[in-house]
Amino acid sequence: MVIQGYEIGDRIDAPPPLQGWRCTKEGEPWCIYAAPRGDAGFSERLERLRRVKLPWSPAIVDGGMTEEGRPYVVTEPAGTPVCLPGGWQGIAEMLRHALNAAGALSAAHEMGVCHGDLTLESLSLDARGEVRIARLGFLALFRVELCEAHRPQAPEVLRRGYPTGPQADVYSLAAILDRIVRERLPAGAVLPAPLAELITRGTAEHHEERYTDMLELFDRLRDASTEVLAAQLVVPADRDTAPVERDDGPKTPRSPSSRATVPASIEIRAVRRGAAPPAPSVPELPAPPPRVTGPVAVVALGLAALALGTAASLAVLLRPPPIVVQVPAPASAPPPSATASPAPAEPLAPAEPPAPAEPASAVAPTRPASSRAPAPRRTTRTPTEELCESEGWYSCTMRRPARR
């Protein structure tokens, strides 16, 4: 069977008379949903739903009307189906998925999109373990006359064919929890009060008696999850928690040193209902190593002292001699000869006449010369001065103004 080029495969969950299949086109997997007939407003509703971005729901990739007048929608493939274990563990895991679904549905309701036909088969998990909701908004899109079936649909949805508000999804999610609890509740166990109240009020006949929206249901789901987790840690009073002795033949005694010890902080014990908790066990401290005393200790100390003395003697004997460097004496000038004749004296130059003295009024006063050389002038600026100039400050030297 082929619909608009899509090869039809296995059937998937869909509210009758709506039909769903897994399909492929050019080797790519998809999901397709089709109804027996449509109306004139289908194309407009489809475009409006495609513009709403719902990341927690498979995206719509194609849709329209076939040549026979059948409306169809193609979406991305769903994730891994939700598989729940039995007992309290399955109930607790379903509550966790219900919390994620309630958050996603609450955001979808803010965008004006309701589901109306929420089932356990419509929930799946992606690669990261997040909940994905299939067929979100499809009842309002196809507008088909729903058949009476055993599905968790609100009474108003069955009457109108599409959801009228968020209370329809509240009913469906509470009905799914009711089914899971009835199938997995252990025999003789008592359902926690928050979870029982959530199921009773969420599946009320009239929508005015249910929770107002998904946010209120989310808070009740969180309280119920806490009670269910506490119920898993309590063992019924009629159950014997003592270990069963098995006859496996002769047993080899084990030494205390080879026995594995468990810290008291991570020890898990079963607690009977109404019984006082046992006192925490104190781990045994390891015994200190034996001390060596008597002649053996004296001999050990003597050997250690002898080894230290031998090492010190070897260090002194093997120390290299100091290196002596001989510096040659500087060559002295030869002594003057007694027979050598003295050098002839140079004639004295005639003394120059003194310059005429200038008038006293033209002589400028001079400061006595200082024996110290003037300090060189600093041409570079400190980082503080550069910072001050860059910030537009007046000065960083903070010089005192001269007195007048």
Side-chain angles (χ1 to χ4, degrees):
M1 182 178 178
V2 179
I3 298 178
Q4 297 297 112
Y6 294 93
E7 298 181 3
I8 304 303
D10 300 334
R11 293 287 297 267
I12 56 178
D13 179 67
L18 192 65
Q19 296 177 335
W21 300 273
R22 298 183 187 275
C23 62
T24 57
K25 185 176 183 179
E26 300 179 358
E28 295 291 334
W30 307 101
C31 293
I32 187 170
Y33 300 89
R37 59 181 180 274
D39 55 354
F42 174 80
S43 300
E44 182 181 355
R45 293 193 301 269
L46 176 62
E47 291 300 324
R48 188 163 59 248
L49 184 60
R50 294 184 66 174
R51 287 196 296 267
V52 179
K53 302 301 181 181
L54 302 173
W56 47 85
S57 179
I60 298 175
V61 297
D62 193 8
M65 301 289 291
T66 62
E67 297 177 356
E68 296 83 6
R70 298 182 60 185
Y72 73 96
V73 172
V74 181
T75 66
E76 295 177 342
T80 307
V82 176
C83 298
L84 302 175
W88 285 113
Q89 184 179 359
I91 297 175
E93 189 170 346
M94 184 60 216
L95 285 173
R96 181 171 61 86
H97 296 328
L99 278 170
N100 295 336
L105 289 171
S106 176
H109 294 165
E110 294 292 333
M111 301 179 185
V113 179
C114 294
H115 198 291
D117 185 58
L118 190 66
T119 60
L120 184 61
E121 291 75 16
S122 64
L123 302 179
S124 60
L125 303 177
D126 59 6
R128 299 177 300 174
E130 301 291 338
V131 173
R132 304 191 72 185
I133 305 174
R135 299 182 285 101
L136 189 56
F138 278 19
L139 287 187
L141 172 64
F142 285 95
R143 297 287 180 92
V144 294
E145 295 181 1
L146 298 177
C147 301
E148 189 72 25
H150 298 284
R151 303 178 67 84
Q153 296 173 343
E156 63 270 17
V157 174
L158 293 175
R159 290 193 299 266
R160 294 174 178 264
Y162 57 90
T164 58
Q167 287 83 3
D169 292 340
V170 170
Y171 182 95
S172 298
L173 194 55
I176 294 174
L177 289 174
D178 186 22
R179 168 192 163 189
I180 297 300
V181 167
R182 292 178 184 275
E183 294 176 354
R184 289 168 172 78
L185 187 65
V190 179
L191 191 65
L195 183 56
E197 180 184 357
L198 183 149
I199 294 174
T200 303
R201 186 177 175 184
T203 56
E205 181 71 18
H206 303 283
H207 65 89
E208 296 88 356
E209 301 175 359
R210 304 172 200 153
Y211 295 107
T212 308
D213 51 14
M214 276 292 173
L215 290 179
E216 188 176 0
L217 180 64
F218 182 88
D219 295 337
R220 301 301 178 268
L221 282 170
R222 185 171 51 189
D223 299 340
S225 301
T226 305
E227 295 293 334
V228 169
L229 290 177
Q232 295 183 73
L233 302 178
V234 178
V235 179
D238 56 349
R239 184 181 302 176
D240 189 8
T241 58
V244 179
E245 293 292 340
R246 296 184 304 174
D247 188 8
D248 298 335
K251 299 181 180 180
T252 304
R254 300 174 60 185
S255 59
S257 59
S258 63
R259 192 177 304 166
T261 59
V262 180
S265 58
I266 62 173
E267 186 176 1
I268 301 175
R269 294 188 176 185
V271 182
R272 293 181 181 273
R273 187 184 301 273
S281 59
V282 180
E284 298 180 0
L285 298 177
R291 299 179 60 183
V292 180
T293 58
V296 179
V298 176
V299 173
L301 291 176
L303 292 177
L306 181 61
L308 291 176
T310 304
S313 302
L314 290 176
V316 173
L317 293 177
L318 298 179
R319 185 175 60 182
I323 300 175
V324 180
V325 180
Q326 296 182 0
V327 181
S332 60
S337 176
T339 59
S341 58
E346 296 181 0
L348 299 175
E352 296 181 0
E358 295 182 359
S361 60
V363 178
T366 58
R367 298 179 61 184
S370 176
S371 59
R372 275 189 315 179
R377 185 176 181 183
R378 182 165 56 88
T379 58
T380 59
R381 293 176 298 177
T382 62
T384 306
E385 291 176 347
E386 293 179 357
L387 176 63
C388 296
E389 292 182 3
S390 64
E391 295 293 338
W393 295 351
Y394 175 71
S395 175
C396 283
T397 56
M398 302 299 293
R399 295 189 180 91
R400 183 179 299 175
R403 295 184 180 178
R404 296 184 179 179

